[in-house]
Amino acid sequence: MTSYAFPPSSDGRARGLVRKPMMIMLALLALSFFAALSALLYVADDLNAKADARSGMLLEKAFASREESMRFHLSDNAEWGEAYENLHRTLNLDWAWRNQNLGESMFKTFGYEGVFVIAPDGRTRYSVLNGALQLRAFQAWLGQDPLNALKQELQQNEGKSLSRFVRVGDEVALVGAAWITTGGDHSVEQTGGAPSLMIFVDRLTPAKLESAGAEYGIKKLRYAAPLADATRSADRYGVAALGGVVSLRWQSDNPGGALLTWLLPLLILLMGATFFTATMLMRNALRKARHSDVSTFLLEQSRQALSASEQRFRDVAESATDWIWEADAELRFSWISARFPVVTGYHSQDWLQQPLSAFLLDDADLLQRLRQREEPGEPLTLSRCRYRSAQQHIRYCNLTLRPVTLARGQKGYRGTATDVTLEVEAEARVRYLSQFDELTGLPNRAQMNACLAGKLNGDRPLAVIMIDLDKFKPVNDLYGHAAGDSVLHEASTRFNACLNDAGMTARLGGDEFVMILFDSADREAVEDLCARIIAAINLPFAAGGGEVFIGASLGVALAPQDADNPGDLLRYADIALYKAKNSGRNNWVFYQRDMGEKIVQRREMERELREAIQTDQLRLAWQPRYDVRAARVTAFEALVRWHHRQHGILMPDQFIPLAEETGLIGALSDWVLLRACADARRELPGMAVSVNLSAVEFSDKGLPKRILAALEASGLPSSRLEIEVTENAMLQDPDTTLEVMLAIKALGVKFLIDDFGTGYASLNYLRTFPFEGIKIDKSFIFPLSDSSQARQIVENMVGLGKAYSLSVTAEGVETVCQMEQLQQLECDGLQGYYIGKPQPLAQVVAQYGAVSAS
């Protein structure tokens, strides 16, 4: 190491010369580090602010989407002639609740905890709470009284449906309201006076709130302490609601925190190291201040420190989410930050000296516009600029340009580019979902209504075809919803192929579709289209690794023959569809004027049957069964009769099919079971009683519990109860039917096959299912005396029953000759008018009481 020796006088002068520039250098370093730290903190804070701003914007979109969905559901249900008839003019619980026009599906499908119908005087006439029918005042249930405010806003809104947020405690609920109107249904007469009000309530519980935020990428959205006003602040958002502002907050993405976590420790470490180095250099410089080489060394160290500082600033800039660029006066890139390849996929070197207009797709005249600006020195911001990435994808960015002076005094531009592709795609997605069905890509109800209204305004003939897929539910049940979705998607493709650009196909939801055929003046063309649709749907669908087969029922309404407005056309097509489904399915039906009247008559019949079950209009008729071996009557069959107030006595075949279709068969069977068991226990001791059950009942796994309840309530021993069921019961889901029958058999109840020989079941079911006996249908007994062939058939049936160890009963015995022949054929039991006609219980007790007592 070289040593230097200087006079004492020069040592002091050298220290003075060195100390001043060194102190200035240290001060500059401190300012540089402070500026770097400030810039880093500013960038981090700006990143967090932008992230929170995006989250707030998405939250606003989520709430707006939820409100729009509620208003749509309100309009769909309130602006409806049938709703006006059954909810405003009268309250029809059958229509609203039991037919699920305004029932538990509003909770299960759309999550509305509260559905209310408010009378003009403010009373709650009808309410469905959490999917259950409960009559409770709207204000009491909600805990707030926004009714007057909603009515005032409806009046100001010209009767259109509206939605408002209402503060309930520390939470918020979305409340929608709409007047109940005829909705343009000219078949419903509008009464005077104020209309009733339909209200839907969607409580934004903490769980719903968090789920709604998660759909838009907002983490842990939750309620928070109230804000001073309804503005958004950082990761907080104020919901302006009736009753006060409700504050929300979420977990910020905190990109700035991540940036600070990595860069701040490095910056501090580097700052400490720099100051330590500078201090040591200062001490060394003071020792060697008298030597020129020391001054040179210190200057070199200063240059390196400045270079390192510049590099640190550059690193901070390259770590930002935006990419930064510089361009010359002709807008040719001269420098591009390292974020450019990450965002666009291009190499930075490939775009140097390339014009900015070549990068952007829609701004070829950008340079000319910059030169023609009134304030050329001010920055320019371009929003949603399109460019093509290296992967040839169209992307979007917000671009800022600022005129600057570059090196050597040359004019140029500097700016940033922020990629906003995700934001643009999210907005496009929202617009798409407002008009199209997400699963099938078909137009949704809103677009279909708009199209139908537009076409009807043009006075051109058209056909509306309502389509419902038959046997679709088993596809979901057996193969899962993914397979069901695949079938729906393929079905929509086949619909479009059949239509062949001659109209529109829309999906209403579930397995319901609507097809609008434009310019359809020819009825034969409509029928040809319907035939092609059914033929296409009858082709196999791929599901679960195999093939499934479904069908389609179609209802057709024509314009202007049937109606000239969308509401009536859709309703008439739906009525025709209902007729098609009840006529055997897999066919089409054109709307006719009398269909509506028949549906009204059927619904009235359904209402009367429901009332008959509740008001004891049903009666039992008892028909004896003769035991050949015991030579006496040992059992009775309980047969139900409906004593109708206008039509007199109705037989089972006149109302049992209606009960099966409307779901009343369960209540009807429960009444028959309980009454038959109770009467037999009380009036016919020792006698067995047989009850007929519909084949559809055996798809209900709760049937064994219902039979057990009837036995326990009546006190009848289970060994005295027999269940009669037709052979067709084994054809509908045999596995479930067998499971239900075995559970009933375990109770001690016996099973008989009724109308044996008229069904389609395999003989294998006689061995598989737990039957105790068969009852040969009367159609085989009537010709017994006149036909040897009939006698041979009955003899074979008796032999078949004996082969399976089953008791054999012959029905329809009306003559002594038939009775003698059946005894010779070794029938175990006889039943028919010769043995005894079905009679009321009092006559049965009077005639057979002594026999049963013995």
Side-chain angles (χ1 to χ4, degrees), residues 279-294:
T279 302
M280 296 303 296
L281 288 174
M282 183 176 179
R283 293 178 62 184
N284 188 53
L286 290 174
R287 278 198 313 267
K288 304 178 179 180
R290 289 171 294 176
H291 302 278
S292 59
D293 57 337
V294 174

Side-chain angles (χ1 to χ4, degrees), residues 87 102 115-119 123-126 180 196-198:
L87 295 177
L102 197 66
V115 176
F116 299 87
V117 175
I118 309 298
R123 291 183 302 103
T124 299
R125 298 186 64 193
Y126 174 81
I180 299 178
S196 296
L197 188 65
M198 181 178 293

Side-chain angles (χ1 to χ4, degrees), residues 145-165:
D145 187 8
L147 199 57
N148 290 333
L150 292 174
K151 289 182 177 179
Q152 292 177 1
E153 289 197 45
L154 278 172
Q155 293 174 353
Q156 297 171 1
N157 205 29
E158 300 180 353
K160 295 181 180 179
S161 61
L162 58 84
S163 58
R164 291 293 179 269
F165 288 101

Side-chain angles (χ1 to χ4, degrees), residues 483-546:
D485 291 347
S486 175
V487 170
L488 289 175
H489 190 276
E490 174 63 22
S492 66
T493 302
R494 297 184 187 182
F495 289 149
N496 283 333
C498 293
L499 194 56
N500 195 22
D501 297 329
M504 168 189 285
T505 304
R507 182 184 179 217
L508 299 185
D511 58 350
E512 292 183 336
F513 298 82
V514 170
M515 187 175 289
I516 303 173
L517 180 62
F518 304 148
D519 300 328
S520 58
D522 187 359
R523 185 184 179 110
E524 293 183 358
V526 178
E527 290 189 341
D528 180 64
L529 174 60
C530 293
R532 293 201 310 272
I533 292 172
I534 291 180
I537 295 301
N538 286 339
L539 295 175
F541 289 81

Side-chain angles (χ1 to χ4, degrees), residues 22-65:
M22 289 300 298
M23 293 302 296
I24 294 174
M25 184 190 69
L26 290 176
L28 289 176
L29 284 175
L31 288 174
S32 299
F33 280 114
F34 178 78
L37 183 60
S38 299
L40 182 61
L41 294 175
Y42 173 80
V43 170
D45 185 70
D46 185 62
L47 289 176
N48 288 338
K50 289 182 178 178
D52 290 332
R54 284 194 294 270
S55 297
M57 181 183 66
L58 291 175
L59 184 57
E60 289 179 356
K61 292 180 180 178
F63 283 160
S65 176

Side-chain angles (χ1 to χ4, degrees), residues 465-766:
I465 305 174
M466 192 78 70
I467 306 172
D468 187 85
L469 298 182
D470 300 329
K471 298 183 292 184
F472 175 73
K473 185 178 182 299
V475 177
N476 272 336
D477 295 340
L478 296 175
Y479 299 101
H481 289 284
D485 291 347
S486 175
V487 170
L488 289 175
H489 190 276
E490 174 63 22
S492 66
T493 302
R494 297 184 187 182
F495 289 149
N496 283 333
C498 293
L499 194 56
N500 195 22
D501 297 329
M504 168 189 285
T505 304
R507 182 184 179 217
L508 299 185
D511 58 350
E512 292 183 336
F513 298 82
V514 170
M515 187 175 289
I516 303 173
L517 180 62
F518 304 148
D519 300 328
S520 58
D522 187 359
R523 185 184 179 110
E524 293 183 358
V526 178
E527 290 189 341
D528 180 64
L529 174 60
C530 293
R532 293 201 310 272
I533 292 172
I534 291 180
I537 295 301
N538 286 339
L539 295 175
F541 289 81
E547 292 183 343
V548 296
F549 292 86
I550 62 175
S553 297
L554 285 67
V556 185
L558 303 175
Q561 297 95 313
D562 298 329
D564 58 359
N565 65 84
D568 287 345
L569 272 176
L570 291 171
R571 185 163 57 87
Y572 293 160
D574 192 44
I575 290 174
L577 172 63
Y578 177 84
K579 177 67 175 177
K581 293 177 74 68
N582 287 336
S583 301
R585 300 176 183 265
N586 211 37
N587 62 354
W588 67 87
V589 170
F590 282 83
Y591 173 76
Q592 298 177 2
R593 293 294 177 183
D594 62 343
M595 285 183 179
E597 297 176 1
K598 292 180 180 179
I599 289 180
V600 171
Q601 293 174 359
R602 183 184 179 281
R603 289 179 176 173
E604 180 65 19
M605 189 75 167
E606 177 187 347
R607 184 192 64 77
E608 292 176 345
L609 178 57
R610 193 182 306 275
E611 181 181 347
I613 297 173
Q614 298 172 351
T615 58
D616 202 27
Q617 297 180 27
L618 303 177
R619 300 287 186 275
L620 289 181
W622 299 77
Q623 186 173 22
R625 189 169 77 227
Y626 182 80
D627 188 322
V628 175
R629 293 182 182 178
R632 64 182 180 88
V633 172
T634 60
F636 288 88
E637 182 177 359
L639 303 168
V640 65
R641 304 286 187 265
W642 181 2
H643 288 241
H644 197 280
R645 292 171 180 173
Q646 284 84 29
H647 306 300
I649 298 177
L650 300 181
M651 304 303 287
D653 58 355
Q654 294 176 281
F655 59 87
I656 292 297
L658 176 63
E660 292 176 340
E661 294 174 8
T662 58
L664 291 174
I665 189 64
L668 179 61
S669 298
D670 289 345
W671 185 92
V672 173
L673 278 168
L674 181 59
R675 181 60 59 88
C677 291
D679 289 350
R681 169 72 174 80
R682 184 178 63 255
E683 304 291 349
L684 299 172
M687 292 286 185
V689 57
S690 62
V691 175
N692 291 278
L693 289 185
S694 169
V696 301
E697 287 277 64
F698 289 88
S699 62
D700 178 15
K701 294 186 178 181
L703 181 60
K705 293 183 179 179
R706 291 162 49 199
I707 294 177
L708 178 61
L711 292 171
E712 291 178 345
S714 63
L716 181 75
S718 60
S719 59
R720 291 175 55 190
L721 176 62
E722 299 173 345
I723 301 297
E724 296 189 16
V725 60
T726 61
E727 297 171 83
N728 294 339
M730 280 73 77
L731 299 179
Q732 302 177 6
D733 195 358
D735 294 336
T736 301
T737 300
L738 179 59
E739 179 184 348
V740 171
M741 291 181 67
L742 290 175
I744 297 174
K745 177 71 173 178
L747 301 177
V749 178
K750 300 180 179 64
F751 279 101
L752 304 178
I753 301 181
D754 193 21
D755 300 335
F756 182 74
T758 61
Y760 302 98
S762 167
L763 294 179
N764 182 52
Y765 289 136
L766 293 176

Side-chain angles (χ1 to χ4, degrees), residues 45-231:
D45 185 70
D46 185 62
L47 289 176
N48 288 338
K50 289 182 178 178
D52 290 332
R54 284 194 294 270
S55 297
M57 181 183 66
L58 291 175
L59 184 57
E60 289 179 356
K61 292 180 180 178
F63 283 160
S65 176
R66 209 174 191 98
E67 288 187 77
E68 183 180 356
S69 177
M70 176 173 283
R71 289 194 296 271
F72 174 77
H73 294 153
L74 275 166
S75 298
D76 194 40
N77 287 275
E79 297 173 7
W80 186 13
E82 289 190 17
Y84 186 88
E85 183 74 25
N86 294 281
L87 295 177
H88 172 64
R89 297 183 65 178
T90 61
L91 179 59
N92 188 343
L93 289 179
D94 289 343
W95 182 89
W97 173 254
R98 297 181 179 89
N99 293 347
Q100 291 302 310
N101 285 303
L102 197 66
E104 64 179 355
S105 64
M106 304 305 296
F107 175 72
K108 291 184 176 179
T109 305
F110 306 112
Y112 297 146
E113 293 87 349
V115 176
F116 299 87
V117 175
I118 309 298
D121 59 3
R123 291 183 302 103
T124 299
R125 298 186 64 193
Y126 174 81
S127 61
V128 178
L129 306 180
N130 296 318
L133 182 62
Q134 303 178 33
L135 184 58
R136 187 175 178 188
F138 165 65
Q139 298 91 330
W141 178 80
L142 185 60
Q144 293 284 347
D145 187 8
L147 199 57
N148 290 333
L150 292 174
K151 289 182 177 179
Q152 292 177 1
E153 289 197 45
L154 278 172
Q155 293 174 353
Q156 297 171 1
N157 205 29
E158 300 180 353
K160 295 181 180 179
S161 61
L162 58 84
S163 58
R164 291 293 179 269
F165 288 101
V166 177
R167 180 169 182 166
V168 182
D170 293 331
E171 297 180 359
V172 68
L174 180 58
V175 179
W179 298 121
I180 299 178
T181 67
T182 60
D185 189 348
H186 302 300
S187 65
V188 177
E189 181 179 357
Q190 188 167 354
T191 61
S196 296
L197 188 65
M198 181 178 293
I199 293 179
F200 290 172
V201 180
D202 182 4
R203 288 184 180 269
L204 295 182
T205 62
K208 272 190 180 181
L209 201 60
E210 184 173 355
S211 176
E215 290 180 4
Y216 284 81
I218 303 174
K219 300 177 181 177
K220 297 184 179 179
L221 182 62
R222 61 193 183 277
Y223 290 103
L227 287 171
D229 52 27
T231 60

